[in-house]
Amino acid sequence: AQSVTQLDSQVPVFEEAPVELRCNYSSSVSVYLFWYVQYPNQGLQLLLKYLSGSTLVKGINGFEAEFNKSQTSFHLRKPSVHISDTAEYFCAVSDREADSWGKLQFGAGTQVVVTP
Amino acid sequence: DVKVTQSSRYLVKRTGEKVFLECVQDMDHENMFWYRQDPGLGLRLIYFSYDVKMKEKGDIPEGYSVSREKKERFSLILESASTNQTSMYLCASSSHPGRGGGYTFGSGTRLTVV
C-alpha cells in the first residue's frame, strides 16, 4: 500500500514570502497525486492534481506543484503567500494500478501559518 | 454547485450510545468514503462504498459500520460510542477513478463522546 510523507508538520512564513510544502510517496508505480487545503472548521478543498502529462501542475489561489517521478515527490509551492493562506495542507496519492476504487492515501498534513 | 452534505457539524454523544452520521452527495458519484481526522495522523479511511449496498473496510473499521441503501447517501454508524471515537469525521465522494476527479469533501462532523 502507498504511504505519504509530508516532511514538515508546521511551516511558519511571512506574508508575501514564498512557501514550499514537501510531499514524498512510497511507490514509483503509476499514481495520481493531489493537494488539498483545509481552512479552520471546514472540509478539504482540492487545490490541484496530477493525472498525467506535464509534470508542473497549476492550481487555484496561485499554487503549483511539480511531480518528480524519480524522487517520488510532489512538492507544493506558492511564490507569495497571503494571510488567507493560513490553513492545513494535505498531500494525497492514489495508486492507479493496485486500487481500482481510487482510494486516496493522505499524508499527516502541514500547517501553514502566515504572519504579517 | 456540487455538494457533499453532512447532516451535523457538531455532535455530543454519551459513551455506549449508537450514533449515526449521515452524508449525502448530489453528483451521482459511484464512490463514497468515510474518514476520521485526528491531529498529527492526517485522514484515516474507515469504510468506503463503490456501489449501492456494497462496502469495503478501510484502514480502521473497528467499532464502525456503514450503510448505503441509495446511491446518494452513505451513513456511518458507531455501534457503541466510546471516548476514543471523539474525532472529526469527513465524508467524501468521487467518480470512477479513471476519470481522475479526486474527492469532493463534506464540511465534516466534529463528534465528541463523553
Side-chain angles (χ1 to χ4, degrees), chain A residues 12-111:
Chain A
V13 58
F14 288 111
E15 192 174 19
E16 299 183 6
V19 70
E20 179 179 80
L21 308 184
R22 296 177 292 170
C23 173
N24 287 90
Y25 58 96
S26 61
S27 174
S28 60
V29 299
S30 184
V31 293
Y32 295 126
L33 295 157
F34 304 82
W35 276 99
Y36 286 85
V37 60
Q38 185 180 34
Y39 300 106
N41 297 313
Q42 295 187 24
L44 277 69
Q45 176 183 349
L46 181 66
L47 268 180
L48 49 77
K49 60 186 176 184
Y50 170 79
L51 305 180
S52 64
S54 173
T55 57
L56 183 63
V57 180
K58 294 191 183 297
I60 62 171
N61 301 340
F63 284 93
E64 63 181 31
E66 185 154 18
F67 169 53
N68 187 318
K69 187 174 182 179
S70 62
Q71 296 185 6
T72 61
S73 68
F74 190 53
H75 300 334
L76 180 71
R77 302 184 184 95
K78 185 169 182 178
S80 176
V81 297
H82 302 292
I83 297 288
S84 59
D85 292 321
T86 294
E88 190 154 23
Y89 293 80
F90 292 92
C91 180
V93 175
S94 174
D95 187 330
R96 297 191 203 197
E97 296 173 6
D99 181 359
S100 60
W101 310 121
K103 296 195 304 295
L104 293 183
Q105 191 72 30
F106 286 85
T110 298
Q111 180 68 46

Side-chain angles (χ1 to χ4, degrees), chain B residues 80-93:
Chain B
S80 177
S82 64
T83 55
N84 62 14
Q85 292 178 310
T86 291
S87 186
M88 170 72 95
Y89 290 87
L90 292 165
C91 176
S93 71

Side-chain angles (χ1 to χ4, degrees), chain B residues 35-72:
Chain B
Y35 284 85
R36 65 176 282 176
Q37 181 182 10
D38 300 287
L41 298 177
L43 278 72
R44 293 179 291 167
L45 181 63
I46 305 171
Y47 268 96
F48 72 102
S49 169
Y50 52 91
D51 201 349
V52 175
K53 298 190 185 295
M54 305 304 287
K55 60 185 180 184
E56 292 284 341
K57 292 180 180 179
D59 300 319
I60 52 164
E62 297 78 18
Y64 303 94
S65 62
V66 291
S67 172
R68 194 169 181 196
E69 297 295 319
K70 295 184 178 181
K71 189 176 185 179
E72 67 271 18

